[in-house]
Amino acid sequence: MKIKTIKRITQSFIFVLICLAFWYLRYPMSGWFNPVYFFQLSPLAAAASFFLMPVLLISAGLIIFTFIFGRVFCGWICPYGTLMDIAAFIAAPLRKYKETQPSFIKSKYFLLVLLTVFLFLGFQIFYMFEPVTAFARGFYFTLYSVKNNILVDVFGKIISANPGVTAETLNGFFKNFIIENRHVVFNNNIITFIFFAVPLFFVLIKRRFWCRYICPLGSCLAIIARFSLLKRKSLICSDGCLRCVSQCRMNAVKSDNSYVPHECILCGDCIDGPCGKESEFIFFMPFKKQHKLNEETGINRKDFILWSLAGLILFFGWKKIKDGNRNVIRPPGAEDEESFKVKCVRCGNCMKICVTNGLQPVLLESGFDGIWTPKLDPNTGYCEYECVLCTKVCPTGAIRKLTEKEKIYTKIGIAKIQKDVCVPWKDGLECLVCEEHCPVASKAIKLQKITVNGNEVQAPYIQEELCVGCSVCENKCPAFENNKKGIIVEPI
Amino acid sequence: MIKKITGLFERDYTRKGFLKIFLIGFAAAFFATLKTKKLFASGTKKIYARRVRKISADYDLVSVEGDNIEKMTRKIIDELGGIEKFVKKGDIVVVKPNIGWNKTPEHAADTNPELVAAVVKICLDAGAKKVNVFDNTCNEEKMCYKNSGIEDAVKKAGGNIYFMDRFKYIPADFQSESSMQDYPVYADAVNCDCFINIPIAKTHGLVKLTLSIKNLMGVWGGNRSTMHWDINRKLVEILSFIKPDLNIIDGYRILTAAGSGGNAAHVKKMSTIIASTDAVLADSYAAKKLFDIDPSDIAYIKMASEAGLGNIDINSAKIKNIKI
């Protein structure tokens, strides 16, 4: 079998596996594969978590793997890369191949150095470009939620129009295995989708444009892959057809039949011989010098120092607005605001698994460096009192692992009654929905008798030291006036 | 393959060819809609109040005290005249427990799973075709079903427990003026042969007690928070719409404060189960016996009896007390 075919099968298999793992990341977490480990693969995640133990180990695994085999991750595993390949396949008739290598081939290394400098100065924007989390965000916030909602609606309509045993059985099957029993909504999902989809359109210029010029994970692996043990051995080629050069999706093969080891993603484009001849990969052959290496487009010391300086200047020129205050309600177990924003890799696991759909991606409420971090949005859901799912799925420890006992004492916000909206306070009518729902054992919402408009009613008030800010009161509050509810939870 | 597809767009079309393709496509779309119209046809627009069989039990109300919940349940139904009075062969039975909160059975916020399982078993033994168990939960449904222990217990007993589908809520038509007009009600709860209501006895901040009438709120959808405005009147209308055939109040463990549970200090073990065909009588008796509250102090019970939906007078009813 051709290597290219094996690659394609492996790639689609892994892609489907990853999508399934993402899709089934939900309560009660009985899945056979937890995608958390997948996010921990990236060395960038390890850097963002400041070398937390499990992340460090797993990403070290990827580094060693890359040292032996080269950038197999980019070519065979990365889901975003697979998506690029699919997009390139579709866009093939529209694209014109260009052989020449643009001079900005070093751009991805520059980006990596810049982002690393930013990270260690406390400003993490890896999330913008990291391919695995970019794919996960696109999957969770747009593809998954839209697909799920369409399935829920279409399937519901079909079943309600054709009742019967078959429909009931199908319904049970669907609800157990395929869809959620409700609509899943994520805020600003159109913006997320644009960020997710635009890099896919770059394939119109070049196949794997993203991987060549932007991807920071790819450049991180490229630095290691330069010394990889598995190298390409090329047969002596004399007729000069140069088909392997124009076929290479990474421009790793040069016209003199040399190749750039850190650009090669082992996709097999050249191996199967577009010219009819064969070249092959051989394991651990650096001494025999049968392969011709082309070293001209890597990163060198001069570049590194220059770019670091440029990053520093850029950073201090930028002068981001820093304030340690929380503008949004964070999930329980979140670190203090500054280090939370640094550690969070924006994979969206916590928002996907949240059983009430209460965790939502932030857009700009918490600053530019807070995009796609999770917040608790009482309009869409609330924090289930004894649920610790989001703390279990955070890959970098931005949300600390909590036990159920710790969690019920973790304050994430504080409720405030709006006396100009709340029905008992304003109109003197009975309504104690918030008190009924308050999950705290001895009720953080207490009652007092008041007289309004001549009616004697029980009105709620908050005992602040008991309130944990779970937001169920705001979520269920029926009073709504002037764009605010009768009770509002503020971040703490 | 790609070339074939793109080739389609490169071909030069004559006007005739274009019209041909257009017409074929149009016809295909037309027939497709005809075929799928039935598939997507919207169901019944409105739903009417549940039709109730006439059931005459041996006693108006039976109350059992004991320790073995399954034995107590069997005894109580035998005393009422046997399950055959309620469930005929081939019936579709709805068992409606209270699974409102994400709490374990020890917290007494949800109906005791053993009681639910026992009722399901008895119904299946009597020849019921299907025993459906569901509740519109307050907390997240998956967690409520699992942590309350009811999902496992019902599945073990052979019942059919499922989450409530959004598309099966249908606006209710009361056929008279009502504050609950057009509130969506769950179709399965109305289109059934026998409705068995199994609430847990506990307190409620607004209406004082959550008993069998209040438990019927769990088959209604829509905005349940606004239902709490003028709740007493709405509860009476809910009762008149659903009219459960049998109410079994779980007084094994009761909550004496904070109806959403979570505080072990509020749980009180009464080891009692109360059953009646009359929801108002069951509530009155439970209020008096379990909580020592005069039933006429509870607005919705009083209003329900005034509306002629049941008997509030415990002394005039035919009641049997048993101890096992």
Side-chain angles (χ1 to χ4, degrees):
Chain A
M1 203 191 280
K2 283 180 175 179
I3 283 198
K4 217 170 162 179
T5 326
I6 300 172
K7 188 211 92 178
R8 271 188 192 150
I9 293 167
T10 323
Q11 219 178 354
S12 23
F13 181 71
I14 290 175
F15 185 74
V16 171
L17 225 60
I18 288 168
C19 288
L20 282 177
F22 284 180
W23 189 284
Y24 287 112
L25 181 74
R26 62 186 184 195
Y27 181 78
M29 289 242 325
S30 54
W32 31 264
F33 177 73
N34 190 345
V36 171
Y37 303 121
F38 192 66
F39 295 110
Q40 291 174 340
L41 269 179
S42 159
L44 309 181
S49 71
F50 286 104
F51 308 109
L52 198 76
M53 205 44 218
V55 196
L56 190 62
L57 264 180
I58 291 169
S59 58
L62 179 67
I63 289 174
I64 292 166
F65 182 78
T66 309
F67 179 69
I68 298 169
F69 296 106
R71 286 171 69 182
V72 174
F73 180 86
C74 299
W76 294 49
I77 296 169
C78 178
Y80 213 29
T82 310
L83 222 52
M84 299 281 169
D85 283 347
I86 296 168
F89 179 71
I90 294 165
L94 302 169
R95 181 184 53 238
K96 289 187 181 91
Y97 283 109
K98 278 181 209 148
E99 244 180 78
T100 50
Q101 183 125 343
S103 53
F104 54 90
I105 184 67
K106 285 186 181 180
S107 58
K108 64 171 180 283
Y109 300 104
F110 174 64
L111 196 65
L112 178 69
V113 173
L114 196 79
L115 295 181
T116 317
V117 169
F118 275 33
L119 172 68
F120 286 102
L121 289 169
F123 185 33
Q124 199 248 110
I125 47 168
F126 274 136
Y127 63 85
M128 278 277 192
F129 308 99
E130 223 268 347
V132 182
T133 55
F135 175 76
R137 277 196 306 270
F139 188 88
Y140 287 154
F141 297 162
T142 60
L143 302 181
Y144 160 73
S145 67
V146 168
K147 246 190 235 167
N148 182 70
N149 297 354
I150 290 173
L151 278 175
V152 169
D153 284 349
V154 169
F155 204 70
K157 269 209 155 170
I158 292 175
I159 288 185
S160 57
N162 309 280
V165 184
T166 333
E168 291 291 331
T169 325
L170 264 175
N171 188 19
F173 174 77
F174 254 67
K175 266 193 297 185
N176 281 335
F177 298 106
I178 297 173
I179 54 175
E180 292 281 327
N181 196 17
R182 54 175 163 85
H183 276 188
V184 179
V185 189
F186 288 110
N187 294 346
N188 308 314
N189 55 3
I190 293 171
I191 295 168
T192 317
F193 186 72
I194 290 168
F195 270 93
F196 167 72
V198 161
L200 298 181
F201 283 96
F202 291 161
V203 296
L204 288 171
I205 310 165
K206 294 234 163 192
R207 295 156 91 191
R208 295 261 183 168
F209 180 92
W210 172 275
C211 314
R212 272 194 220 176
Y213 303 121
I214 298 167
C215 182
L217 179 60
S219 60
C220 184
L221 295 180
I223 293 171
I224 305 153
R226 196 171 176 180
F227 313 105
S228 70
L229 303 181
L230 189 69
K231 290 257 159 66
R232 175 178 179 269
K233 183 183 92 173
S234 50
L235 296 177
I236 310 302
C237 179
S238 54
D239 54 3
C241 69
L242 296 183
R243 278 200 199 119
C244 48
V245 179
S246 62
Q247 282 289 313
C248 183
R249 62 187 74 193
M250 294 296 286
N251 255 6
V253 184
K254 298 290 165 202
S255 45
D256 59 345
N257 204 20
S258 65
Y259 102 114
V260 194
H262 44 273
E263 289 294 311
C264 175
I265 58 169
L266 291 91
C267 61
D269 278 341
C270 57
I271 291 192
D272 296 323
C275 57
K277 290 174 194 158
E278 283 188 351
S279 64
E280 55 184 290
F281 278 95
I282 38 172
F283 191 51
F284 202 39
M285 291 294 289
F287 305 114
K288 288 194 178 170
K289 293 279 176 201
Q290 282 188 349
H291 48 267
K292 283 167 86 177
L293 294 186
N294 189 322
E295 297 269 359
E296 62 190 20
T297 52
I299 180 174
N300 55 35
R301 199 178 302 137
K302 196 183 86 192
D303 288 343
F304 182 79
I305 293 166
L306 269 176
W307 292 343
S308 303
L309 278 174
L312 271 172
I313 292 160
L314 213 73
F315 179 82
F316 288 112
W318 200 326
K319 270 283 177 207
K320 66 178 175 133
I321 309 139
K322 249 193 183 181
D323 67 86
N325 295 334
R326 276 208 171 146
N327 305 322
V328 292
I329 309 169
R330 295 293 185 197
E335 306 230 337
D336 66 282
E337 187 68 2
E338 280 310 313
S339 58
F340 179 77
K341 278 193 243 177
V342 172
K343 281 194 178 182
C344 176
V345 288
R346 278 80 160 166
C347 59
N349 269 348
C350 50
M351 298 173 235
K352 167 69 169 54
I353 204 164
C354 183
V355 281
T356 63
N357 199 204
L359 286 182
Q360 294 285 346
V362 172
L363 193 61
L364 285 168
E365 293 100 305
S366 62
F368 178 71
D369 53 345
I371 305 178
W372 292 315
T373 48
K375 71 164 177 185
L376 183 64
D377 189 345
N379 294 321
T380 57
Y382 58 94
C383 187
E384 187 75 51
Y385 193 49
E386 285 167 28
C387 159
V388 288
L389 287 172
C390 55
T391 74
K392 280 187 189 166
V393 294
C394 185
T396 54
I399 305 175
R400 199 158 38 85
K401 281 204 169 46
L402 294 175
T403 59
E404 271 96 352
K405 265 196 184 147
E406 283 173 324
K407 196 250 156 169
I408 61 174
Y409 296 113
T410 309
K411 261 180 190 283
I412 55 174
I414 201 150
K416 298 243 160 77
I417 287 179
Q418 310 293 313
K419 291 188 180 169
D420 53 336
V421 181
C422 179
V423 176
W425 283 100
K426 189 174 157 245
D427 302 327
L429 298 173
E430 283 186 326
C431 168
L432 292 175
V433 180
C434 50
E435 193 265 350
E436 188 187 356
H437 278 91
C438 183
V440 181
S442 41
K443 297 278 175 195
I445 297 176
K446 304 269 188 218
L447 303 174
Q448 68 187 88
K449 283 230 153 103
I450 55 162
T451 312
V452 183
N453 298 346
N455 299 343
E456 200 193 352
V457 285
Q458 291 188 308
Y461 70 95
I462 310 284
Q463 198 167 354
E464 297 200 342
E465 61 271 22
L466 287 176
C467 181
V468 292
C470 70
S471 304
V472 68
C473 44
E474 186 179 343
N475 182 248
K476 306 277 183 188
C477 179
F480 188 76
E481 215 172 89
N482 302 331
N483 222 1
K484 69 175 181 178
K485 289 201 167 183
I487 188 164
I488 286 178
V489 181
E490 285 165 5
I492 200 165
Chain B
M1 205 196 57
I2 286 288
K3 259 192 181 163
K4 260 186 197 168
I5 295 168
T6 51
L8 273 179
F9 300 101
E10 282 164 11
R11 201 183 301 157
D12 289 332
Y13 284 116
T14 56
R15 194 181 303 141
K16 204 174 156 192
F18 177 76
L19 271 174
K20 226 188 224 169
I21 285 181
F22 182 78
L23 279 176
I24 290 169
F26 189 78
F30 183 71
F31 281 112
T33 45
L34 270 188
K35 275 277 166 200
T36 51
K37 216 172 192 178
K38 209 193 136 204
L39 207 62
F40 290 102
S42 49
T44 29
K45 282 277 172 328
K46 291 228 171 149
I47 199 161
Y48 300 118
R50 203 171 84 82
R51 276 199 239 148
V52 191
R53 279 192 206 138
K54 225 179 173 189
I55 295 165
S56 53
D58 292 356
Y59 291 95
D60 286 345
L61 186 143
V62 181
S63 159
V64 181
E65 270 183 60
D67 276 324
N68 187 326
I69 292 177
E70 190 171 346
K71 261 189 201 163
M72 285 156 79
T73 319
R74 285 191 188 276
K75 181 82 187 161
I76 213 165
I77 289 174
D78 285 345
E79 289 295 330
L80 280 170
I83 189 70
E84 293 76 25
K85 287 210 166 180
F86 305 98
V87 179
K88 307 270 183 294
K89 266 214 162 89
D91 273 7
I92 290 173
V93 182
V94 167
V95 172
K96 162 69 179 72
N98 189 338
I99 331 180
W101 306 96
N102 175 17
K103 292 275 158 25
T104 48
E106 294 75 43
H107 285 110
D110 306 314
T111 308
N112 200 311
E114 290 175 49
L115 174 60
V116 184
V119 173
V120 169
K121 239 183 251 170
I122 291 166
C123 291
L124 285 171
D125 289 347
K129 189 177 157 199
K130 216 174 203 183
V131 181
N132 295 333
V133 185
F134 50 77
D135 188 14
N136 189 351
T137 58
C138 296
N139 285 151
E140 216 284 323
E141 53 187 12
K142 282 183 235 158
M143 291 188 154
C144 291
Y145 274 45
K146 191 157 182 251
N147 293 342
S148 67
I150 292 175
E151 190 175 20
D152 294 337
V154 170
K155 272 187 183 159
K156 229 180 181 181
N160 179 25
I161 184 164
Y162 53 89
F163 302 119
M164 293 168 90
D165 297 303
R166 356 172 343 117
F167 57 82
K168 271 195 197 160
Y169 288 104
I170 296 166
D173 191 349
F174 280 78
Q175 292 175 303
S176 62
E177 201 183 320
S178 160
S179 56
M180 289 290 289
Q181 186 73 13
D182 289 344
Y183 251 87
V185 64
Y186 202 62
D188 285 7
V190 181
N191 304 327
C192 64
D193 301 310
C194 178
F195 191 103
I196 301 176
N197 190 16
I198 323 181
I200 183 162
K202 58 182 181 179
T203 54
H204 185 271
L206 194 54
V207 297
K208 288 186 189 163
L209 290 182
T210 295
L211 293 165
S212 45
I213 299 176
K214 176 77 172 55
N215 189 39
L216 294 175
M217 263 180 85
V219 299
W220 295 79
N223 187 343
R224 298 208 305 161
S225 293
T226 52
M227 233 190 238
H228 285 76
W229 295 346
D230 197 8
I231 187 168
N232 292 313
R233 202 154 74 99
K234 285 178 179 163
L235 282 176
V236 175
E237 269 151 19
I238 288 171
L239 177 63
S240 75
F241 196 87
I242 303 283
K243 290 188 215 98
D245 295 314
L246 179 59
N247 305 283
I248 306 175
I249 297 180
D250 170 20
Y252 192 75
R253 292 191 199 93
I254 64 168
L255 265 181
T256 54
S260 61
N263 198 335
H266 297 154
V267 180
K268 196 172 158 195
K269 200 174 169 193
M270 298 294 275
S271 308
T272 310
I273 292 175
I274 297 161
S276 169
T277 50
D278 181 350
V280 182
L281 183 66
D283 285 8
S284 314
Y285 187 82
K288 189 77 202 161
K289 180 158 188 206
L290 301 175
F291 298 93
D292 201 21
I293 297 175
D294 193 36
S296 53
D297 285 352
I298 298 165
Y300 70 90
I301 299 181
K302 203 178 169 199
M303 285 162 79
S305 80
E306 279 164 6
L309 293 167
N311 181 9
I312 196 172
D313 189 3
I314 307 168
N315 301 324
S316 72
K318 203 172 148 198
I319 293 172
K320 185 165 191 188
N321 265 304
I322 317 165
K323 269 194 181 174
I324 300 181

